[in-house]
């Protein structure tokens, strides 16, 4: 728990040193805390990176309060379609067939590698990131945002309630719905809609995914089990106009994600 009032500021990473700081925070969260691993994890340097980092825009949430024990407390990686072309594709395409999204002819922005330091979760930090993201998507004239969001762990039997809930109550329209790749794909509609324990299901959904749902997020078809990273992933899609309107409403009300 924080012992001070944060003074949040969001900026875009400026060069390799900033990106390295973002990768270090990602290591703390995704690897040290959540148990992730993989060929791009540098345990000696405590960095979590991949080949997409050098092509993306990185939002950096900083706590500028003089008494703050750390400065960088949150990150978000953004990839426009132009960036994806330079990178050879979107990260999400390594897990999901994005053809419905790509064929929609909508202006797209991929969201990824979002995380907050453990001391800053449940407060205003994510809202500050979302406010900065809203400005970015407005400037880039983005129609749809999408990206991989994760449950910790790979035992999908334990996730039957939340995965089924997402499928039945927050499924994307077929014309924009990404589909989990067959090798590591699992069905999400394990439990019939009328047998879902909605309270238990919602409690089991990770905080970030619930935040996306509050902003109008919907999910694609099927989940992808990432054994190397120790996660089970869903593909979320958000309409930018809806997300922007809901973010502004929550900021006005002093609400948190």
């Amino acid at each position: 728990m924080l012992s001070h009032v944060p003074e949040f500021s969001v900026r875009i990473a400026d060069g390799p040193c900033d990106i390295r700081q973002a990768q270090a925070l990602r290591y703390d969260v995704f690897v040290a805390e959540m148990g992730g691993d993989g060929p791009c994890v540098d345990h000696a340097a405590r960095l979590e990176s991949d080949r997409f980092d050098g092509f993306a825009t990185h939002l950096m949430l900083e706590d500028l309060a003089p008494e703050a024990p750390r400065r960088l407390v949150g990150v978000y990686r953004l990839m426009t379609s132009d960036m994806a072309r330079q990178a050879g594709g979107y990260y999400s395409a390594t897990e999901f067939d994005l053809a419905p999204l790509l064929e929609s002819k909508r202006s797209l922005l991929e969201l990824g590698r979002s995380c907050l330091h453990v001391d800053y979760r449940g407060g205003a930090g994510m809202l500050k990131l979302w406010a900065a993201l809203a400005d970015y998507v407005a400037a880039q004239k983005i129609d749809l945002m999408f990206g991989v969001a994760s449950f910790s762990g790979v035992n999908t039997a334990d996730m039957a309630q939340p995965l089924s809930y997402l499928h039945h109550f927050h499924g994307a329209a077929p014309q924009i719905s990404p589909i989990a790749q067959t090798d590591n794909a699992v069905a999400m509609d394990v439990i019939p809609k009328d047998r879902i324990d909605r309270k238990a299901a919602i409690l089991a959904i990770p905080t970030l995914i619930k935040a996306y749902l509050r902003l109008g997020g919907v999910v694609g078809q099927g989940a992808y089990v990432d054994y190397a990273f120790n996660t089970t992933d869903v593909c979320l899609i958000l309409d930018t106009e809806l997300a922007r309107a809901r973010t502004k409403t929550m900021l006005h009300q002093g609400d948190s994600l």
Side-chain angles (χ1 to χ4, degrees):
M1 181 177 294
L2 292 176
S3 59
H4 70 283
V5 178
E7 296 179 15
F8 289 122
S9 178
V10 181
R11 64 181 179 88
I12 291 176
D14 182 19
C17 289
D18 278 350
I19 294 176
R20 189 177 179 89
Q21 290 183 57
Q23 293 167 342
L25 179 60
R26 284 159 35 182
Y27 183 95
D28 290 344
V29 175
F30 297 134
V31 181
E33 181 182 337
M34 296 177 60
D37 205 346
C40 294
V41 173
D42 186 337
H43 292 286
R46 295 183 66 85
L47 299 174
E48 189 279 308
S49 65
D50 65 25
R51 70 178 184 86
F52 298 93
D53 282 338
F55 299 94
T57 292
H58 301 260
L59 289 184
M60 304 181 72
L61 175 69
E62 297 176 321
D63 183 355
L64 304 182
E67 63 271 39
R70 60 190 55 82
R71 189 178 181 102
L72 182 63
V73 299
V75 293
Y76 230 129
R77 187 174 75 186
L78 316 178
M79 289 195 73
T80 63
S81 56
D82 287 341
M83 296 172 189
R85 276 191 289 270
Q86 294 176 30
Y90 291 104
Y91 170 83
S92 301
T94 64
E95 301 185 3
F96 292 85
D97 178 359
L98 302 180
L101 271 180
L102 300 178
E103 293 167 4
S104 72
K105 306 303 181 184
R106 309 285 294 277
S107 176
L108 303 175
L109 179 71
E110 182 183 51
L111 312 179
R113 291 301 197 268
S114 172
C115 64
L116 290 174
H117 186 277
V118 64
D119 293 341
Y120 289 82
R121 296 171 199 164
M126 183 56 76
L127 269 179
K128 293 296 184 182
L129 274 173
W130 268 99
L133 178 61
D135 291 338
Y136 185 89
V137 300
Q140 297 289 329
K141 295 180 171 57
I142 301 298
D143 297 319
L144 294 174
M145 298 177 285
F146 72 98
V148 169
S150 302
F151 287 77
S152 181
V154 296
N155 186 350
T156 57
D158 291 343
M159 306 171 195
Q161 286 281 355
L163 290 178
S164 298
Y165 171 83
L166 290 173
H167 172 86
H168 290 298
F169 293 97
H170 296 280
Q175 60 266 30
I176 61 167
S177 182
I179 302 169
Q181 302 282 13
T182 55
D183 288 352
N184 288 12
V186 294
M188 293 174 64
D189 55 341
V190 181
I191 299 174
K193 186 175 182 178
D194 60 357
R195 292 178 54 197
I196 293 173
D197 182 338
R198 295 184 61 169
K199 182 177 181 180
I202 293 169
L203 285 173
I205 295 173
T207 301
L208 180 60
I209 296 179
K210 282 190 280 197
Y212 285 132
L213 300 182
R214 292 188 65 188
L215 294 171
V218 291
V219 300
Q221 300 177 44
Y224 182 92
V225 182
D226 187 340
Y227 292 100
F229 221 63
N230 191 38
T231 59
T232 299
D233 303 334
V234 295
C235 193
L236 275 147
I237 308 100
L238 298 99
D239 179 276
T240 57
E241 287 297 325
L242 179 58
R244 187 183 301 118
R246 291 194 179 184
T247 299
K248 288 182 178 179
T249 297
M250 286 187 282
L251 281 170
H252 178 72
Q253 295 175 345
D255 204 352
S256 60
L257 290 173

